Amino acid sequence: MRVYQTNEIKNIALVGSAGSGKTTLAESMLYEAGVIKRRGSIEAKNTVSDYFPVELEYGYSVFPTVLHVEWNNKKLNIIDCPGSDDFVGGAITSLNVTDLALVTINGQYGPEVGTQNIFRYTEKLKKPVIFLVNQLDSEKCDFDAIVASMIDIYGSKCVQIQYPLETGPNFHSLIDVLLMKKYTWKPEGGAPTIEDIPEEEMDKAMELHKALVEAAAENDESLMEKFFESETLTEDEMREGIRKGLVTRSIFPLFCVCAGKDMGVRRLMEFLGNVVPFVSEMPKIHDTRGEEISPDSNGPESLYFFKTGMEPHIGEVSYFKVMSGHVKAGDDLVNVDRGSRERLGQLFVCAGANRIPVEQLNAGDLGCTVKLKDVKTGNALNQKDLDWHYDFIKYPRSKYSRAIRAVNSQDTEKLMAALLKMRQEDPTWVVENSKELKQTIVHGQGEFHLRTLKWRLENNEKLNVVFEEPKIPYRETITKKAKAEYRHKKQSGGAGQFGEVHLIVEPYAEGMPDPTSYTFNGQEYKVTMKGKEEVDLEWGGKLVFINSVVGGAIDARFMPAILKGIMDCMEHGPLTGCYARDVRVVVYDGKMHPVDSNELSFMLAARHAFSEAFKQAGPKILEPIYDLEVYVPDDYLGDVMSDLQGRRALIMGMDSEAGYQKLQARIPLKELSSYSIALSSITGGRASFTTKFSSYELVPNDLQQKLIAEHEAETAKED
Ligand SMILES: Nc1nc2c(ncn2[C@@H]2O[C@H](COP(=O)(O)OP(=O)(O)O)[C@@H](O)[C@H]2O)c(=O)[nH]1
Ligand SMILES: [Mg+2]
């Protein structure tokens, strides 16, 4: 395998909505470059890129797959990314280590919610974008409508390089307005016949050509001058202009292919080879301290690991990008994120499941290795004494959660170890052992994401697991003030126990003034602020504790014990046993015994008094409410809205974006739990959503009664 120099390497991410044809395109690219002799297909389960058993079983990409081809003496590293929102983590990682996003668009649908989701990431990461309309041979393809909506969404930056002469099953030729040629394919695709543009297409082709020349010229002053003088540019000048426009994201060229029939792929690769910026032409990346890292193969050696995982038939494989320097087998490096040392074994370049040994990889290149001791996704391996860290990958919040349990309880430990390992492969997993809910909860990106987790646990780890509905972290609080007192007294042989506490509770709200007096049954209770403690509760909300005991009724030294007794109750609310929050308590009186009073007595007295007062203070159950944003194609808006109304959601607003609607709502967590599945089934997987915790709100009365009854039934069972 040849060793490529930094200025011969281009890194390209294949991204776009699920089903738009990325994996099929990758297959055609490998075929065109001579890496494979036959093109596989999704249907025949024999593509290079989808090679994990779980991908073959479900028929969609789950992991990003690293491939490479040589084209005109250059090396194109291609990462075929999963398209589904559920596996967006892999796409984000890949965008971070590549210099161009090739965004595929399904010719049947045009730009989809998934297209725009991934486009937003390219925007955040400032990556150049080329759009590629695929499936031009599909009956449903309306190319003019696709171009119109692309321009509607992405503006005049989206510049056509090609257009098809006909779409649908007869698709077999394109007009290319950069080269001003007509490309025609035989039914088996592959090498095109290249001819002059026919007379009847000349006007349209010329108009698009001019628009392209102008767009290319805009990115360079000398090109602009030349353009004003002669109204045209040479091919090389256009390429130069487009390359500059790509880097600054002022041009998004639009290409056409039919990946399934291998039409247009060779021309696309030519463009990628000639025009896409090299690693060395891209803006520099920075380490965590903001230091610029140059992709210099003579610089210090530093590798960034963007993907690690167990692979079929081989075990753990670790994929990296050479951020700086060059790497050889046998190099001794330090894992700066984990502090461990590693000696690199054999190095490979990647072609899906196949690995080809290579002697050396230079800055900018992508490769993989096996048998590292302790390297996880996101880690960096550096030469000794170099402390460059990278944390440029920001993953989205999780939006689908399930409680997970080993069917056989003896497997619990093994399950936890397996979950930890999976999280280290895919950082979009969050595994939470909830003490409060007494459940292990996995938070992921969607139902598919969790389904593949289960598949892998069952098939790779031989672990039988079940998913269950996660319990909801309800809270309790009070809605009015109340007063109670309790005397704890015990006389048993030797030393006795004595403590008496009188207290008032009331709902607490952030920013309310300190109390001065309370009135119960016409009697006034003046507050003397002797001490105040604001406890920020671990589970959210506050407890404010005021000592207003005068005349030495209770020694100040017993106050911590009283607070502890109250906190015990806050941890197990009297209605359903869940955490309580937002309560102010004023201890205003009590009694001591000169000999028998101790901390335990006051703690118990406070616990009883507080619990009693809480029950009289209009206790209520609160539930977590989330802000929800749904991106939904126009045609499904009505169905999505009515489904949301059935989920007790409050629609807060709606924005019309090109081709889809952005709905904002507030929704109880309980109703959100199955939302990923529901939305996907309503819209055929063409919508997406994000969520964020907002606040705790009172549950409706009927739900409160139901929760209390459930809790009572459960405690009766335990007793
Ligand atoms: N008609 C047609 N179907 C295609 C084309 N490219 C891909 N497909 C089909 O579209 C489906 C999704 O393709 P796939 O490559 O898995 O898409 P990905 O999710 O973007 O990787 C598969 O059934 C492919 O066979 C094409 O150019 N024309
Ligand atoms: Mg795919």
Side-chain angles (χ1 to χ4, degrees):
M1 180 74 206
R2 199 181 126 190
V3 174
Y4 292 85
Q5 301 307 314
T6 303
N7 62 7
E8 297 171 320
I9 300 164
K10 303 191 180 198
N11 296 322
I12 297 166
L14 281 185
V15 290
S17 58
S20 52
K22 299 173 291 297
T23 300
T24 308
L25 174 68
E27 195 73 8
S28 287
M29 289 170 100
L30 292 174
Y31 175 75
E32 283 297 328
V35 177
I36 52 175
K37 296 279 167 282
R38 265 191 67 214
R39 288 188 297 125
S41 74
I42 302 295
E43 288 67 23
K45 299 183 190 286
N46 61 352
T47 61
V48 174
S49 182
D50 282 357
Y51 61 93
F52 274 83
V54 63
E55 298 180 309
L56 298 177
E57 167 99 7
Y58 290 128
Y60 53 72
S61 312
V62 171
F63 306 101
T65 305
V66 186
L67 311 158
H68 78 277
V69 299
E70 190 188 86
W71 193 259
N72 291 344
N73 286 323
K74 286 152 201 146
K75 186 179 181 204
L76 307 184
N77 288 315
I78 298 164
I79 309 186
D80 172 27
C81 299
S84 149
D85 230 20
D86 286 43
F87 308 106
V88 69
I92 296 173
T93 313
S94 306
L95 280 176
N96 271 286
V97 295
T98 51
D99 304 310
L100 177 102
L102 192 55
V103 180
T104 51
I105 290 167
N106 191 329
Q108 301 184 56
Y109 304 117
E112 298 176 80
V113 168
T115 317
Q116 276 133 291
N117 280 347
I118 204 70
F119 184 82
R120 278 193 291 274
Y121 283 110
T122 69
E123 208 162 39
K124 257 190 230 164
L125 301 170
K126 303 193 178 72
K127 298 291 174 175
V129 165
I130 292 176
F131 287 116
L132 186 64
V133 181
N134 183 32
Q135 312 204 358
L136 289 167
D137 61 332
S138 124
E139 204 80 66
K140 281 206 292 188
C141 178
D142 178 349
F143 187 76
D144 291 338
I146 294 175
V147 169
S149 51
M150 294 293 291
I151 289 176
D152 197 18
I153 302 169
Y154 305 107
S156 57
K157 290 180 174 183
C158 179
V159 185
Q160 273 189 79
I161 307 278
Q162 300 170 329
Y163 67 91
L165 281 177
E166 190 177 359
T167 54
N170 291 330
F171 167 78
H172 70 293
S173 56
L174 287 174
I175 301 292
D176 189 299
V177 304
L178 197 165
L179 301 176
M180 287 303 276
K181 291 286 176 202
K182 176 184 169 194
Y183 284 66
T184 309
W185 289 270
K186 296 206 186 76
E188 68 274 17
T193 313
I194 305 174
E195 298 162 297
D196 286 340
I197 295 178
E199 198 51 44
E200 66 275 16
E201 290 298 324
M202 213 48 192
D203 285 354
K204 181 175 178 187
M206 226 28 228
E207 194 188 323
L208 290 169
H209 179 75
K210 278 192 185 140
L212 175 62
V213 171
E214 197 172 334
E218 263 174 20
N219 300 295
D220 185 306
E221 253 176 57
S222 62
L223 290 182
M224 203 65 190
E225 269 171 37
K226 164 104 196 289
F227 175 66
F228 279 131
E229 275 166 26
S230 58
E231 286 208 348
T232 185
L233 298 177
T234 65
E235 247 173 67
D236 280 344
E237 286 167 338
M238 281 168 75
R239 289 196 181 106
E240 186 56 27
I242 296 172
R243 177 176 14 250
K244 287 190 170 145
L246 277 170
V247 175
T248 55
R249 286 175 58 89
S250 34
I251 289 190
F252 306 131
L254 180 107
F255 278 78
C256 298
V257 287
C258 172
K261 292 184 180 161
D262 187 19
M263 295 179 181
V265 176
R266 193 175 287 199
R267 165 72 183 113
L268 172 73
M269 287 170 75
E270 224 166 64
F271 183 84
L272 296 176
N274 286 331
V275 184
V276 165
F278 287 106
V279 174
S280 48
E281 290 166 316
M282 287 300 293
K284 303 270 183 306
I285 63 122
H286 297 89
D287 76 348
T288 47
R289 284 172 306 186
E291 224 172 278
E292 218 173 62
I293 311 290
S294 289
D296 174 4
S297 49
N298 296 315
E301 185 172 344
S302 179
L303 312 181
Y304 175 75
F305 285 78
F306 61 92
K307 170 181 164 180
T308 59
M310 298 303 280
E311 302 222 356
H313 316 301
I314 174 148
E316 173 128 347
V317 181
S318 312
Y319 293 82
F320 58 85
K321 177 173 186 179
V322 186
M323 306 302 284
S324 163
H326 57 267
V327 56
K328 285 187 155 139
D331 282 356
D332 282 310
L333 298 170
V334 178
N335 184 335
V336 276
D337 298 289
R338 300 173 78 87
S340 46
R341 286 164 181 276
E342 298 277 354
R343 169 163 296 180
L344 290 188
Q346 201 165 14
L347 298 180
F348 303 92
V349 293
C350 328
N354 301 323
R355 276 156 293 272
I356 302 150
V358 64
E359 207 166 285
Q360 174 175 327
L361 290 164
N362 287 321
D365 215 342
L366 308 180
C368 69
T369 184
V370 292
K371 300 200 177 79
L372 291 179
K373 284 186 309 203
D374 184 28
V375 174
K376 309 300 173 204
T377 300
N379 290 170
L381 287 191
N382 289 347
Q383 71 180 46
K384 205 165 150 265
D385 298 332
L386 181 72
D387 63 345
W388 290 350
H389 290 258
Y390 312 98
D391 68 347
F392 41 66
I393 302 187
K394 301 276 177 287
Y395 294 105
R397 266 192 298 269
S398 55
K399 50 194 183 191
Y400 186 72
S401 309
R402 279 291 166 270
I404 191 169
R405 182 167 62 75
V407 172
N408 191 339
S409 64
Q410 284 128 317
D411 285 340
T412 302
E413 228 167 88
K414 197 172 155 206
L415 170 64
M416 292 316 293
L419 287 176
L420 182 69
K421 203 164 72 185
M422 296 216 177
R423 174 169 161 67
Q424 285 169 338
E425 279 179 22
D426 176 356
T428 59
W429 289 118
V430 177
V431 180
E432 177 197 5
N433 273 314
S434 171
K435 193 178 101 194
E436 173 185 7
L437 306 176
K438 301 187 182 68
Q439 286 180 318
T440 298
I441 301 186
V442 277
H443 304 277
Q445 295 298 321
E447 200 257 332
F448 279 152
H449 198 202
L450 268 87
R451 201 195 295 173
T452 50
L453 175 80
K454 187 164 191 268
W455 194 97
R456 293 173 68 203
L457 287 171
E458 286 174 351
N459 292 278
N460 301 352
E461 312 283 336
K462 308 290 175 237
L463 268 170
N464 273 329
V465 297
V466 278
F467 282 134
E468 289 164 342
E469 188 83 7
K471 292 185 192 148
I472 304 293
Y474 291 109
R475 299 283 178 264
E476 294 181 19
T477 194
I478 52 176
T479 55
K480 58 184 188 192
K481 61 185 183 186
K483 175 173 85 63
E485 48 189 76
Y486 190 87
R487 174 181 295 178
H488 174 78
K489 188 176 169 192
K490 232 180 194 169
Q491 215 74 53
S492 52
Q497 293 180 11
F498 185 95
E500 185 173 319
V501 174
H502 302 196
L503 51 75
I504 293 167
V505 299
E506 70 177 326
Y508 172 77
E510 205 61 52
M512 66 198 267
D514 286 338
T516 50
S517 77
Y518 295 92
T519 310
F520 288 94
N521 298 328
Q523 194 186 337
E524 196 186 12
Y525 298 81
K526 275 215 164 349
V527 177
T528 314
M529 297 286 286
K530 306 258 308 232
K532 176 169 129 177
E533 214 164 313
E534 289 194 16
V535 185
D536 280 313
L537 301 166
E538 249 174 70
W539 51 88
K542 266 191 183 165
L543 171 77
V544 176
F545 176 73
I546 293 173
N547 172 6
S548 166
V549 177
V550 289
I554 306 174
D555 268 0
R557 67 189 162 104
F558 291 125
M559 283 300 152
I562 292 175
L563 177 58
K564 173 144 196 330
I566 291 170
M567 280 300 290
D568 286 348
C569 293
M570 294 289 288
E571 280 186 36
H572 305 278
L575 297 180
T576 60
C578 57
Y579 295 132
R581 58 178 282 166
D582 301 327
V583 178
R584 180 152 77 182
V585 44
V586 180
V587 179
Y588 67 90
D589 203 359
K591 273 203 182 71
M592 280 188 305
H593 184 276
V595 182
D596 292 348
S597 278
N598 57 15
E599 288 180 351
L600 180 67
S601 311
F602 275 103
M603 193 182 84
L604 292 172
R607 202 189 277 176
H608 279 101
F610 182 78
S611 173
E612 187 54 38
F614 198 102
K615 283 182 197 153
Q616 289 170 30
K620 286 279 184 194
I621 299 172
L622 301 167
E623 65 180 334
I625 304 289
Y626 277 68
D627 287 331
L628 169 70
E629 234 174 49
V630 192
Y631 305 90
V632 52
D634 294 332
D635 341 350
Y636 298 105
L637 184 64
D639 294 345
V640 168
M641 295 266 270
S642 59
D643 170 75
L644 278 175
Q645 270 142 13
R647 294 172 184 274
R648 295 194 282 133
L650 220 61
I651 309 282
M652 306 301 288
M654 193 162 59
D655 285 317
S656 179
E657 312 257 327
Y660 70 94
Q661 300 283 334
K662 190 167 95 184
L663 259 179
Q664 274 145 338
R666 283 168 57 75
I667 184 169
L669 178 61
K670 185 169 172 39
E671 306 293 333
L672 202 50
S673 157
S674 56
Y675 193 59
S676 162
I677 302 177
L679 185 66
S680 174
S681 83
I682 296 170
T683 65
R686 298 188 50 222
S688 89
F689 69 100
T690 60
T691 64
K692 187 170 163 232
F693 170 74
S694 166
S695 58
Y696 269 95
E697 306 289 342
L698 298 180
V699 303
N701 265 330
D702 52 336
L703 180 56
Q704 169 144 339
Q705 295 318 320
K706 189 170 155 248
L707 291 170
I708 293 174
E710 275 172 16
H711 177 67
E712 278 167 4
E714 217 166 279
T715 31
K717 220 167 37 186
E718 280 165 19
D719 286 349

